[in-house]
Amino acid sequence: MCGIVGAVAERNVVEILIEGLKRLEYRGYDSAGVALLTDQGEFSRVRRIGKVQALADAITDDNGKGTTGIAHTRWATHGGVTENNAHPHASSDRIAVVHNGIIENFADLRMRLRDKGYTISTDTDTETIAHTVHSLLEAHDSLLGAVQEAVSQFHGAYGTVIMDREDPSRVIVARSGSPLVIGLGVGENFIASDQMALLPVTRRFIFLEEGDVAEITRREVNIFDVDGHPVVREIVESTVEHDAGDKAGYRHYMLKEIYEQPTVVRNALAGRVSLDGLVPGIFGDNADALLSQIKHVQIIACGTSYHAGMTARYWLEQYANVSCNVEIASEFRYRKSVVHPNSLLVTISQSGETADTLAALRLAKELGYTSSLTICNVAGSSLVRESDMAFMTKAGAEIGVASTKAFTTQLGAFLMLTLALGQHNGMSDVDRTDILTGLQSLPAKLEETLELAQEIEDLAEEFADKHHSLFLGRGEQYPIAMEGALKLKEISYIHAEAYASGELKHGPLALIDDEMPVIVVAPNNELLEKLKSNVEEVRARGGIMYVFADKDAHFESDETMRVINVPHCAASVAPIVYTLPLQLLSYYVALIKGTDVDQPRNLAKSVTVE
Ligand code: F6R
């Protein structure tokens, strides 16, 4: 979603803000803006539609000066993509505001503000923050006091940073539902919506908690909790690699992240699992005793993370003998659900900040689950902090909007959870060995699978002029087909649907013709013969197929079917291995179509609004 950066320093902060925005650009990117204030009270505001570079190009010696500043990349929610709707928003030439999230009662606030004589000049909800704070300045002796009262009037989600033109010495920040992190420097302090933005200037961070309001000056950070009481929050030394934002010579972050998968999966397994089994305590200090009571798992997630949960359901029921439900967070949070006895709630999220998943976790806490576990990629994120247990996927920073390495490490985490639950629920030795040997050889299998890149790049040509496609899989490969379809639609804008192939004749077969490529995921497992029948059904209707298959599955290429042989692997890890060719396919199709691979249109990383 949107990105926020702010700074209070002795030096000119414009470059820090622009670099920070560039590092956050992957989160949202329809427009960007910056507001700067010098010690002498000179104020400038520059906003541009498009990439951060357009903003950077508009900065001059005249408008690019300031020791205090706030900046923003926008992903439009309220109001179209116009310069006027871009942040920072201002009130009465005095208050400037950047904001992530949604002020749900903005319409009411607008009416009240109009009654007080304010002119509403944008379509955004954020403008109401600026005017509300401004309207309260007189009643308070400080900007801090005005903001503390203002936030009590806001309903919805916000991470916001507010600057007063009459006081360049500070910014006030407030968090409710949208993350903010303070970066600590020497004689300068910073604020951002993600630590990635500030890594070039500091590695010491304070993650604000829900309801916190903080006053940031060059030398001090004063934090107040939701009740207005001063609080001290822990200072965390970041372990995120400084160069996590570099492409390392790859053309796109997505390609870099696809190729990182053998390494990050190896890291995610190291010290946690070996051929002897799971290392005790990997889910947390008291987790082993707790997991031994679990008889049911409820998984909640969105998007790609939801597909990881769908795959895990097959594993948990087949190998660990534990019943499992999987639900999209935005559905779960708005319906009444029944909690099974001894149920573990598992949320999955790359970012740890997805609004619906977080809301579902908070709701679930009231429903009587035995415990909650999050499988997450971002330490210190809201899901990690608010769950009873956190299992880090260790994928490293994922910048490409289309999730790749986060997904495969989520699947690795779920195989470890399957082992952990299976040992208390009668997992067979055969299954245990299959998972352990599968995991052991997984990084090497992923390396081998990436060698298919050239072959996949060649066949991507055949997709470039297509408008629709169908992905088929059975069993635990059905969610992998869903993930393949999601990747293709996200970055190549080709309509892609996934079906459990047994469903073909219940409707989608009507779509088959030679303009609708059909992608089949076909490892050599007990469902292979069933899948082959489905392939014949497609062939009989003149469909063109691309089959990703194990060599031993004995598919032969011919004029209607192109077979891509995927390295043979243990059945338990096949969903992870078969994910990679589908990622590569979507990448190369997008490349040929010339889309913005890392920042596909209309999408954003880290969906912090509902
Ligand atoms: C797709 C993608 C999204 C995310 C979804 C959930 O490539 O990245 O579908 O998976 O927005 O995000 P997280 O995992 O951060 O909760």
Side-chain angles (χ1 to χ4, degrees):
M1 300 264 102
C2 311
I4 285 176
V5 197
V8 189
E10 275 163 15
R11 53 179 163 159
N12 187 355
V13 294
V14 70
E15 278 178 19
I16 297 169
L17 299 183
I18 297 290
E19 171 61 21
L21 288 187
K22 284 185 175 162
R23 297 170 74 89
L24 291 183
E25 201 174 19
Y26 70 103
R27 296 169 64 104
Y29 30 79
D30 54 46
S31 52
V34 60
L36 295 161
L37 197 50
T38 66
D39 282 344
Q40 292 71 41
E42 292 165 77
F43 176 79
S44 58
R45 179 168 63 142
V46 187
R47 297 174 296 169
R48 287 294 181 272
I49 293 173
K51 302 270 179 190
V52 176
Q53 192 54 47
L55 175 69
D57 293 343
I59 302 282
T60 62
D61 287 346
D62 289 337
N63 65 20
K65 279 188 303 216
T67 47
T68 296
I70 56 179
H72 191 262
T73 51
R74 177 171 189 248
W75 186 83
T77 55
H78 291 62
V81 181
T82 62
E83 196 169 299
N84 193 46
N85 286 336
H87 300 213
H89 289 292
S91 178
S92 312
D93 238 4
R94 179 164 175 194
I95 294 296
V97 169
V98 289
H99 162 227
N100 286 358
I102 294 175
I103 302 296
E104 286 169 0
N105 59 333
F106 76 100
D108 286 349
L109 289 169
R110 265 186 194 171
M111 268 189 318
R112 274 192 261 159
L113 289 163
R114 279 198 180 105
D115 289 347
K116 286 183 183 162
Y118 287 93
T119 305
I120 304 296
S121 56
T122 75
D123 307 317
T124 68
D125 52 336
T126 303
E127 188 186 355
T128 61
I129 300 181
H131 295 315
T132 305
V133 171
H134 184 267
S135 71
L136 294 166
L137 279 174
E138 256 183 40
H140 293 270
D141 56 2
S142 67
L143 180 63
L144 174 67
V147 173
Q148 278 173 316
E149 187 177 340
V151 294
S152 69
Q153 301 182 15
F154 301 149
H155 303 161
Y158 50 84
T160 185
V161 186
I162 298 145
M163 194 169 91
D164 179 359
R165 192 173 165 167
E166 292 188 5
D167 183 2
S169 68
R170 68 202 65 226
V171 295
I172 308 296
V173 309
R175 176 204 162 135
S176 179
S178 252
L180 282 178
V181 57
I182 295 173
L184 303 173
V186 178
E188 54 188 14
N189 289 310
F190 310 94
I191 183 77
S193 49
D194 183 327
Q195 56 176 300
M196 286 279 290
L198 301 178
L199 287 174
V201 284
T202 185
R203 304 193 68 79
R204 294 170 68 234
F205 293 105
I206 297 173
F207 293 89
L208 289 180
E209 300 203 354
E210 284 299 284
D212 282 354
V213 174
E215 179 177 51
I216 301 177
T217 67
R218 288 173 186 166
R219 289 194 170 72
E220 274 182 42
V221 170
N222 300 309
I223 306 174
F224 303 87
D225 68 11
V226 68
D227 300 317
H229 300 133
V231 278
V232 176
R233 303 271 181 234
E234 188 191 357
I235 298 174
V236 179
E237 192 80 24
S238 174
T239 53
V240 174
E241 282 171 34
H242 180 55
D243 68 353
D246 295 340
K247 288 189 197 138
Y250 287 91
R251 185 156 170 195
H252 292 100
Y253 284 114
M254 182 181 178
L255 191 61
K256 170 182 174 245
E257 288 159 6
I258 289 173
Y259 273 88
E260 277 173 354
Q261 288 176 108
T263 307
V264 295
V265 167
R266 192 176 283 117
N267 293 344
L269 301 175
R272 289 170 159 179
V273 64
S274 71
L275 281 179
D276 296 332
L278 280 187
V279 173
I282 59 170
F283 288 93
D285 285 346
N286 301 317
D288 291 347
L290 204 144
L291 292 179
S292 70
Q293 304 164 31
I294 297 302
K295 297 290 172 220
H296 178 79
V297 174
Q298 171 69 58
I299 298 175
I300 309 281
C302 302
T304 288
S305 297
Y306 170 70
H307 296 153
M310 291 272 290
T311 315
R313 182 168 67 119
Y314 287 89
W315 289 334
L316 288 167
E317 299 215 340
Q318 177 181 340
Y319 298 128
N321 302 314
V322 170
S323 64
C324 177
N325 286 341
V326 190
E327 193 158 353
I328 292 168
S330 55
E331 289 297 312
F332 178 85
R333 65 180 287 199
Y334 289 118
R335 73 177 183 90
K336 183 175 177 302
S337 59
V338 174
V339 182
H340 297 247
N342 297 84
S343 258
L344 175 69
L345 182 96
V346 181
T347 56
I348 321 162
S349 177
Q350 189 287 125
S351 61
E353 302 294 350
T354 300
D356 283 319
T357 312
L358 192 55
L361 169 68
R362 288 175 184 160
L363 169 74
K365 283 185 170 175
E366 294 157 21
L367 298 180
Y369 284 90
T370 303
S371 190
S372 61
L373 164 72
T374 189
I375 293 177
C376 188
N377 196 36
V378 179
S381 62
S382 302
L383 279 173
V384 168
R385 282 186 284 110
E386 295 187 30
S387 300
D388 299 330
M389 298 176 274
F391 191 77
M392 304 313 298
T393 43
K394 299 190 179 180
E398 189 179 70
I399 307 288
V401 162
S403 188
T404 52
K405 61 178 182 168
F407 179 67
T408 41
T409 53
Q410 286 167 349
L411 292 179
F414 269 119
L415 277 176
M416 289 186 260
L417 183 65
T418 303
L419 286 166
L421 293 174
Q423 67 197 5
H424 304 293
N425 292 286
M427 176 184 267
S428 75
D429 286 345
V430 175
D431 287 342
R432 182 171 181 276
T433 306
D434 185 80
I435 297 176
L436 290 176
T437 51
L439 286 175
Q440 182 77 14
S441 58
L442 183 58
K445 285 291 166 197
L446 296 179
E447 261 156 29
E448 220 184 304
T449 308
L450 288 172
E451 288 169 17
L452 294 171
Q454 187 59 56
E455 192 178 344
I456 294 171
E457 185 172 359
D458 293 346
L459 79 81
E461 298 279 353
E462 296 173 31
F463 283 72
D465 63 341
K466 298 290 186 279
H467 299 291
H468 308 278
S469 61
L470 193 61
F471 285 68
L472 299 179
R474 292 192 85 117
E476 68 273 29
Q477 296 289 354
Y478 167 44
I480 301 307
M482 293 168 79
E483 174 58 12
L486 179 64
K487 288 286 93 88
L488 190 68
K489 69 184 111 171
E490 267 183 298
I491 62 167
S492 75
Y493 315 148
I494 294 175
H495 169 222
E497 283 203 62
Y499 268 90
S501 52
E503 275 289 289
L504 260 186
K505 54 173 85 64
H506 300 289
L509 215 43
L511 294 170
I512 302 296
D513 64 18
D514 59 5
E515 281 303 302
M516 173 92 153
V518 179
I519 297 97
V520 185
V521 192
N524 186 9
N525 62 19
E526 70 280 7
L527 293 173
L528 182 63
E529 290 312 314
K530 304 266 180 222
L531 189 75
K532 283 188 167 173
S533 307
N534 303 136
V535 163
E536 289 313 314
E537 290 162 8
V538 174
R539 193 200 298 276
R541 273 96 192 158
I544 306 291
M545 282 173 288
Y546 300 86
V547 183
F548 292 90
D550 191 298
K551 194 154 48 53
D552 298 340
H554 302 298
F555 283 98
E556 299 279 326
S557 290
D558 58 26
E559 66 281 2
T560 60
M561 184 158 82
R562 184 149 168 185
V563 180
I564 302 95
N565 282 131
V566 179
H568 181 71
C569 61
S572 55
V573 296
I576 309 181
V577 172
Y578 278 73
T579 296
L580 270 57
L582 302 186
Q583 294 171 344
L584 286 167
L585 178 65
S586 60
Y587 175 77
Y588 287 117
V589 174
L591 203 61
I592 292 164
K593 293 196 71 178
T595 61
D596 193 340
V597 172
D598 285 329
Q599 298 173 354
R601 69 185 180 199
N602 305 339
L603 299 181
K605 195 95 181 153
S606 194
V607 183
T608 49
V609 292
E610 161 165 20

